Amino acid sequence: MKQILIVIIMFSFFGCGKNNKSKSNEKNASETEIKSGTEMLPFFGEITLSNARGYEIDDVKINDNIVSIDLNFEEDKINPESLKSVRKILNNISDIDKKIKKQILEYLDEDGVVKEYFKFHIDEIDSETLNDYIKDTDQNLSIELRLFSKTKLKRIGFYPDSPKSIAVFDYRVFSELSDEILVIVLDRNGEIEKITIES
């Protein structure tokens, strides 16, 4: 009787351990599967690859700007490869903003979209409102340069499924009175592909 009892206790002990180990393995496998189905992105956090919905975050501070950032997909599922360029741009977003502003400044004196953008506001906004708007800027500078100093990055949109143009940086001046946007389109390397005006 004693021997039978010892056998039952041993069987019960080892059986329990086996079940616990099995459940533990199942849990670890499940956690791995969940983790492999997501990607981490700066600002956005965890992105679920099986759910290609739109993502948006507001009130992100980038340099001196308060910006909204959105992430837009065309496919039903997210290809992790398509997020690599997004991650690269997000990781270098402050430097990219500074680089874009420098490029806008260089184009300011040339005939083209950038000059047209600022000329539109100078022509369309009455002089009293315009002068009031730029009163805290350096008065030794041209009106274009003073307006440029008031231009702010307002939105960044990402389009990972796009074959070439992956991101747009929207800059605005006179946001209260004008819906004109200076749009900087970036390629997958974070380089400027084109500049357009939208409203």
Side-chain angles (χ1 to χ4, degrees):
M1 186 72 178
K2 215 182 240 186
Q3 288 177 340
I4 293 171
L5 187 59
I6 290 169
V7 169
I8 289 171
I9 289 169
M10 286 178 66
F11 176 79
S12 175
F13 175 80
F14 288 114
C16 260
K18 189 175 180 182
N19 286 340
N20 285 343
K21 190 174 180 182
S22 174
K23 284 177 185 175
S24 176
N25 287 342
E26 284 174 18
K27 186 180 177 185
N28 288 339
S30 175
E31 284 175 357
T32 303
E33 188 179 336
I34 290 168
K35 287 189 187 305
S36 65
T38 62
E39 288 278 332
M40 293 297 292
L41 282 180
F43 302 104
F44 289 97
E46 194 171 67
I47 300 294
T48 304
L49 299 177
S50 61
N51 182 19
R53 63 179 179 84
Y55 293 82
E56 185 174 359
I57 49 175
D58 296 314
D59 300 325
V60 179
K61 188 170 183 183
I62 298 170
N63 297 324
D64 295 327
N65 311 291
I66 300 300
V67 181
S68 68
I69 309 177
D70 51 86
L71 188 56
N72 309 277
F73 298 97
E74 294 175 13
E75 305 297 330
D76 293 333
K77 292 185 178 180
I78 302 169
N79 180 351
E81 287 296 309
S82 71
L83 295 178
K84 286 184 177 178
S85 295
V86 175
R87 186 180 292 105
K88 181 181 176 183
I89 292 171
L90 286 171
N91 280 330
N92 298 285
I93 206 160
S94 293
D95 289 338
I96 290 172
D97 170 48
K98 289 174 185 174
K99 184 177 177 183
I100 290 172
K101 289 291 288 284
K102 185 178 178 184
Q103 193 71 62
I104 292 172
L105 184 58
E106 288 175 9
Y107 286 143
L108 199 56
D109 290 329
E110 300 176 13
D111 288 334
V113 173
V114 172
K115 188 173 183 176
E116 182 187 329
Y117 179 77
F118 290 99
K119 188 176 185 306
F120 169 83
H121 290 91
I122 293 166
D123 293 342
E124 294 297 319
I125 307 295
D126 69 84
S127 58
E128 187 179 341
T129 304
L130 180 61
N131 288 328
D132 187 57
Y133 185 71
I134 58 175
K135 67 184 178 186
D136 58 344
T137 61
D138 186 347
Q139 296 188 17
N140 295 316
L141 299 175
S142 67
I143 294 177
E144 288 85 358
L145 285 172
R146 292 171 72 187
L147 271 180
F148 167 76
S149 70
K150 301 280 284 186
T151 303
K152 298 288 185 184
L153 175 62
K154 292 293 186 180
R155 169 193 171 253
I156 301 169
F158 286 97
Y159 302 88
D161 297 329
S162 172
K164 194 174 180 184
S165 307
I166 191 171
V168 295
F169 280 53
D170 291 348
Y171 290 84
R172 295 183 68 179
V173 68
F174 262 117
S175 300
E176 311 83 7
L177 298 175
S178 169
D179 58 0
E180 297 293 303
I181 305 166
L182 188 63
V183 181
I184 315 299
V185 182
L186 303 186
D187 64 17
R188 291 193 167 272
N189 296 315
E191 299 295 328
I192 296 174
E193 185 182 299
K194 64 180 177 180
I195 302 175
T196 64
I197 298 173
E198 294 180 8
S199 57

